[in-house]
Structures are given as structure tokens and as C-alpha cells.
Amino acid sequence: MDPFKSGNLEPRRTVCIFTCGVLWLVAVTVASGETPWRQVPLQDVQIKGEMGRRIDVTIENNILQIDISRDFLAPFQSRNQKGGYVGLGKLLDSIVRLAVHTGDPRLRELKDQIIREILATQEEDGYIGIMEPSSRMWSLWDIHEMSYLVYALATDHHFFGTEDSLQAARRLANYIISNWEAHPDNQPGGGSITVYMAVTGLENAFLLLSEEANDSRYKDFVVNFRKLPEWQARVVVGRHGQIEGHIYAYLCRSIAQLRLSDEHDDPRLWQASRQALDFLLHREGLVITGECGDHECWHDSQSGTINLGETCATAYLIRWLDELLRREKKSLYGDIMERVIYNGLFAAQSPDGRRIRYYTPFDGPRSYFPGDTYCCPNNYRRIIAELPGMVGYRTEHGIAVNLYTEGQFKLPLPSGQVVTIAQRTDYPHNGMIALTINLPKPEMFELRLRIPRFCEEASVKLPQEDEAVTVKGGDWAVFNRTWQNGDTVMLRIPMKLRLVRGRRAQSGRVAVMYGPLVFCLSRQGHADLKDIDLRLITINPETLEGPFPDETVHPGGVACRVKAWAPGAWYPQAPTSYTLELTEFADPTGEATYFHVPNPYDPAFVEDELIGPPKDESP
């Protein structure tokens, strides 16, 4: 099993087959055992646009600006703490991946420096950590800290072949195994929280190490001692008891189960993921910005105040969706992925890249986390480093394009020759995407394009064809033909402003969206809103206009405009009180996302296309 190259089955799908100048839409049943999809290798993708800009500012204004020696390395060199968490393994993992993706020698030198200094702290028994001897293993977060170091060192070996990193990872993992097996009844964290939350990251780290070291001991520990196949988590709403509903820990372990399922045909390994999908998409677990959770844990109220959307949960939601997409091959997962990336994820970072949030609410003011260590800043860095691999995938018969962004990527075709797919687009700020295919010689292969659910249908203009073909939104458009070097496919995804009905706590209100983008209201630029409760404003939907260019949040951004009545105004007869400029949700000063409307049942409003009806059975 290769945790970096995973995939599974899709029981049924609709495909488009292009033959003799005709596009056929055919429902086909996919046989079990088909080849899994694989990510674009990080070194073989270039990203521009807002996604690429976020990667750049994370490198330049965050990673290369933080004081790694003082904040990250010093605690490992002192090893005198009784508790706490730094997140060095997460930081190192992000630097390794960004070094691969960019080829930046500064990042290569930085990751080598960190590894040299951290390996110098490894003790004779294999321990690398921040704890004093009496607090090791069982103090809260010690195994968690060690696990991500194992993962990062194994990642370094995976990409750079660094033998010292692999051996250090093995010694550290052996330290955990020998101590835990010697004291099987001990509970990390002393039982204050669930064990799987206290040791978050261990299973994924050991599965990767088992592959890199070609040693089944680490996988066997996960399967037999940690009993990963037997873990049947519950979706527990709220933060109480042993914090059983912690989303980050839940999704992290679900990913480990999915990776293990690639070679273990055990339906139990899918149960936690199925349960989470049902809760998110059918039981109000996913909010309009693609985020989930309150105070780190599952919630279903659709409220969006101060503790909404822990950044760790957001990062793992994206990673988990990628794992699901490559196995089940459903375009829905890509739709959710882009929603959370452009809203919840990017809003978790300041536009200049320097500061990162712990939570990113959509109702009320937002604040930044004060430090550079700990879980959320480092999980943000990690997922930003992984995004390039999610742009496209190698499929059984060709290429699938998942995320639309300016740039290019290359992948080997079934024949072995390498194809480059170049994208020219301003998506998601407009829906025009040109995909140019470059390959040494003509070859027949399958090209898949994800058609988002927010559009009823899209159009695709194929090379050498006079007319564009229409494809339904919410599926893959699949074209199987012989491609020539320089062939360009023109994809047009219709995009317009839409008002999405709120649910539960947001009942009677609407959110303004454009493609995957959610808009918000900031008090900045609205002097007349200084002392106004934004939740009491009523907008006039008939006056909504836009989008238009706006660089308030980032270069190349968009905004829209709507008129509104002040709290208590005699709408709809009274004249409107304000003209509101709504900016992209990533606006750090945004405070309101849902807006009261005169007629909550206006037929012009639409449902959130990502959300399905509730099911009968309880989660």
C-alpha cells in the first residue's frame, strides 16, 4: 500500500463518450478492482491564480518569517516540559512538500537544517520530543507530537530518499511501540479525552512508515494493537465528556482507515467515513462556507459564531475529500473541496499570508491565533502544501481535472508518454477555462472535467468540432478521443449571483454566492454601519448586482452590491437605507454572511446544491 497513491471503486457513474462527432451520455457500472486514481506529483504541477498566490505568501510571508529556532526547535533541545504541544512535525511536513512542489533551494536548505537539528536531539532510546523523562508518552499530546515527527521524517524519505530521516523515524516509532506495548493499559492524556484524539496522527504516520521502511511492524501495530479496523466512531454533537466528537481527530483516523482499506477488504474501514458524509450532507453538519464544527467538534445548528470551523478540521476535511474522491471518483467531493478551499480555508489566513486563525466564523468578528506553533497554524501550512496534488489525477484511462486554476500539470498516460495539461482561467472569478493538451505524439485517452453542481449545465468546445456540446452539472464530462499536441478544450461554466436559502439557525435568511464563492459584509467602507447589528439588516434581493472587479481581499478578486433597509425600517414600502458592498468571504474584516429578506419563500432563492435531503435512519 502506498498512502500517497490511493483509490477505490465507484459502483455506478455517468460518462460522456465522444465518437464520430457525437457526444453520448452513458450510465456505466464500474467493476470492482479497477485501478485507483493518483494525485499529480507535487513537482509536476504549477499553480497560479489565487490558489497559487496563497501558496506563495505562505512560503514568503509565513514559513520564511517565523522564528523556527526559538519557537519550534528550542523546546525539543531543552526537553524539560511537563505538557504542551509545538507541532514541529506538521511544520516540517509542510516544508518538505513545498520544497518538492516549488524546487525552492531555500526550502530545501531549511528542511535539511530542521532535520539535522532535530535528529541531534534524539535520545538513545529513540525519543524525540519536548517532555521531561517523567512526563513522556502519557502526558497529553506527547504521542501526538511524536507521531507527526514520524510522519514528516517518513515524508522526507519518500520525496528525497533521506536515509537518516527514515532511520530516525523508525527509532522514534519503535520507542512508541515498545513503551505502549509494555504498558497497554496506560491511557495517553490520562483519560481526560478519548485515546484516539490524544494520539491523533499516529495511524497515518505508522502506515506511511511501514511503506517507506518496507517493514510490516508499524502497520501491524496499527491493525493489531491500535485495532484500527475495529474503530467505529460515533458522530457526537457538541463538546462534552471525553470530547468524542472532535472533528479533526475523527477525520484523521477515518483517512487512516481509508488508506488501510486499499489492501484490507473490510467494510468496517468505511463506516466512519460513511457516517461523517451522512452527517455533513444530510444532517446539517456542513455550513455554507464549506466549514464544519463548533469549538472543534461536530455541530448541526448551522450557527456560525465565534468558534466555527477549526482550521485543523478544515484542513482535514479537504484531505479526507481528496481521499474519498480518488477512491469513489464522485465529482461531488471536488465540489465540496473547492467550496471549502476558496472560503473556509483561505479566510483562515490573512490576505498577506502572515497570520492564521484557529476558528473562522461567518457571523461576527474574526480573530487571528496569536502564535505560530500549535495545531491550527501548522495544519494550515500542511494542507496548503498538499493542494497542488489535488488539481488533477491520473485515472484508469487518462486524466481527470478536479480543480480549475491558472497553471499546468503533467501526468503519464497509460501508454507511458507524458501529457501536460495547461489551464488558462480566472476561475472561480469567471467560468471560462481553456485547457491545452501538450504531448509528444497523438494518443487516445480519456479526459475528465468536473462540472460543478452550482450550474445546471456547462458547454465544452472540443478541437476540430464546429459546435460546443452541453454537459450536465454535477458530474464528470468525459471525452475519449485521440488528442493531438496543442489541442485546446474550451470549458464554459455559467456563473451568476445566486441567493442560497439558510437552514436551521439561518432560516428566513439567504447567503449570496457566485460559483463556489461566498460573499460577506464588512463594516469597513460602511461608516453608517458602525453601531448597527448586522443581523437585523434586511436586504432587497431585487437590487443585487455584480459581480464586479474588486481587489479589497486579493488581486483579481470580485465583489457585489445590494441595497438594504436599516433595522426596524418599514420594508418593502420604505426606501432602502444602505448600499452594501459585499466582498469575498476571505475578507478578514467580514462579519455577516447570511441576510434577512422580506420574503423567505421567494421562488428566486435556491437551495444549497451540496446538501441532500435528510435520511430516515439516525446517524
Side-chain angles (χ1 to χ4, degrees), residues 381-529:
R381 297 175 185 120
R382 290 185 68 224
I383 196 62
I384 280 290
E386 293 178 48
L387 290 183
M390 302 175 188
V391 173
Y393 303 107
R394 178 183 176 183
T395 70
E396 306 92 324
H397 309 295
I399 304 294
V401 182
N402 177 42
L403 298 176
Y404 299 113
T405 181
E406 183 82 7
Q408 66 178 37
F409 65 87
K410 58 184 180 180
L411 279 170
L413 294 170
S415 69
Q417 77 166 325
V418 175
V419 61
T420 298
I421 307 291
Q423 296 192 57
R424 300 193 311 278
T425 183
D426 290 327
Y427 188 88
H429 302 102
N430 71 51
M432 297 300 298
I433 301 133
L435 301 106
T436 300
I437 296 167
N438 296 294
L439 70 171
K441 59 183 180 180
E443 181 173 338
M444 176 175 283
F445 64 89
E446 174 186 277
L447 176 65
R448 288 173 171 255
L449 306 177
R450 181 179 58 83
I451 310 300
R453 279 161 176 72
F454 62 73
C455 71
E456 291 186 7
E457 59 184 25
S459 65
V460 182
K461 177 69 169 57
L462 295 167
Q464 291 86 49
E465 297 297 327
D466 294 332
E467 300 292 332
V469 294
T470 300
V471 293
K472 183 180 178 181
D475 210 334
W476 299 99
V478 185
F479 304 99
N480 194 10
R481 67 196 323 257
T482 297
W483 302 93
Q484 308 281 338
N485 185 48
D487 277 352
T488 297
V489 177
M490 300 298 299
L491 169 63
R492 181 180 178 272
I493 301 174
M495 296 174 65
K496 61 182 180 179
L497 290 173
R498 65 192 190 278
L499 294 169
V500 181
R501 290 189 182 95
R503 311 184 308 277
R504 293 204 175 176
Q506 308 306 329
S507 179
R509 307 164 73 80
V510 296
V512 182
M513 294 194 67
Y514 179 71
L517 296 175
V518 178
F519 289 97
C520 65
L521 174 61
S522 167
R523 296 181 193 273
Q524 290 192 6
H526 298 89
D528 46 1
L529 297 181

Side-chain angles (χ1 to χ4, degrees), residues 213-359:
N214 193 26
D215 188 337
S216 64
R217 179 186 185 192
Y218 309 107
K219 183 182 70 177
D220 292 343
F221 180 78
V222 167
V223 172
N224 300 321
F225 187 87
R226 292 292 300 130
K227 301 185 184 304
L228 183 60
E230 300 174 27
W231 179 69
Q232 303 298 320
R234 301 184 303 150
V235 171
V236 177
V237 176
R239 185 182 180 91
H240 52 87
Q242 284 193 306
I243 324 298
E244 192 174 350
H246 193 264
I247 299 173
Y248 161 31
Y250 185 110
L251 293 181
C252 184
R253 207 154 203 244
S254 297
I255 289 171
Q257 286 190 323
L258 294 176
R259 291 172 174 173
L260 186 63
S261 75
D262 291 341
E263 61 178 47
H264 285 253
D265 186 16
D266 187 338
R268 294 177 301 174
L269 293 169
W270 278 83
Q271 182 173 319
S273 287
R274 298 287 183 224
Q275 190 170 248
L277 277 169
D278 176 63
F279 182 77
L280 289 169
L281 302 182
H282 301 282
R283 302 182 187 280
E284 305 297 354
L286 190 74
V287 302
I288 194 71
T289 56
E291 299 168 282
C292 57
D294 181 77
H295 205 358
E296 303 180 343
C297 297
W298 300 111
H299 97 317
D300 57 2
S301 70
Q302 289 292 304
S303 60
T305 54
I306 186 168
N307 288 334
L308 174 78
E310 181 204 19
T311 297
C312 289
T314 296
Y316 266 87
L317 176 62
I318 296 168
R319 186 176 292 113
W320 175 66
L321 290 166
D322 170 73
E323 297 283 347
L324 289 171
L325 192 157
R326 289 186 283 122
R327 287 170 173 81
E328 294 197 301
K329 303 163 186 178
K330 295 179 180 178
S331 66
L332 171 62
Y333 301 138
D335 292 354
I336 307 170
M337 192 184 297
E338 71 172 8
R339 174 86 68 89
V340 67
I341 288 171
Y342 284 107
N343 298 290
L345 183 67
F346 288 167
Q349 182 186 47
S350 62
D352 67 357
R354 183 61 189 90
R355 306 176 72 188
I356 298 172
R357 303 186 193 282
Y358 202 102
Y359 298 113

Side-chain angles (χ1 to χ4, degrees), residues 36-88:
W37 289 5
R38 297 185 177 184
Q39 287 187 335
V40 179
L42 293 176
Q43 65 272 25
D44 291 335
V45 58
Q46 301 172 10
I47 296 182
K48 299 180 182 178
E50 179 60 6
M51 197 178 299
R53 193 190 73 83
R54 288 285 178 173
I55 293 172
D56 292 342
V57 297
T58 300
I59 294 170
E60 298 294 338
N61 299 345
N62 191 281
I63 290 176
L64 295 179
Q65 301 301 321
I66 60 182
D67 193 333
I68 294 176
S69 295
R70 181 193 67 195
D71 296 336
F72 287 87
L73 291 172
F76 288 84
Q77 293 162 343
S78 300
R79 300 188 295 285
N80 59 4
Q81 299 192 27
K82 296 182 179 181
Y85 184 74
V86 174
L88 176 59

Side-chain angles (χ1 to χ4, degrees), residues 90-151:
K90 294 184 176 77
L91 173 66
L92 178 59
D93 182 69
S94 70
I95 295 172
V96 169
R97 294 173 188 274
L98 288 170
V100 174
H101 169 58
T102 64
D104 190 329
R106 298 173 301 169
L107 295 175
R108 177 72 178 267
E109 181 180 350
L110 180 60
K111 73 95 177 169
D112 288 343
Q113 176 189 347
I114 293 172
I115 291 172
R116 282 195 305 271
E117 296 198 33
I118 202 64
L119 264 55
T121 72
Q122 188 163 35
E123 299 190 3
E124 186 175 347
D125 60 4
Y127 180 75
I128 304 175
I130 66 174
M131 303 296 180
E132 63 181 13
S134 62
S135 300
R136 294 175 184 174
M137 280 290 296
W138 316 117
S139 290
L140 186 59
W141 308 134
D142 196 33
I143 293 177
H144 180 52
E145 186 89 65
M146 288 188 284
S147 296
Y148 277 97
L149 279 168
V150 170
Y151 194 91

Side-chain angles (χ1 to χ4, degrees), residues 181-223:
E181 288 182 340
H183 305 280
D185 296 328
N186 284 10
Q187 289 195 354
S192 60
I193 59 176
T194 55
V195 171
Y196 84 83
M197 179 180 171
V199 301
T200 298
L202 182 142
E203 288 82 9
N204 284 306
F206 277 34
L207 289 176
L208 175 58
L209 180 59
S210 188
E211 177 71 19
E212 291 301 307
N214 193 26
D215 188 337
S216 64
R217 179 186 185 192
Y218 309 107
K219 183 182 70 177
D220 292 343
F221 180 78
V222 167
V223 172

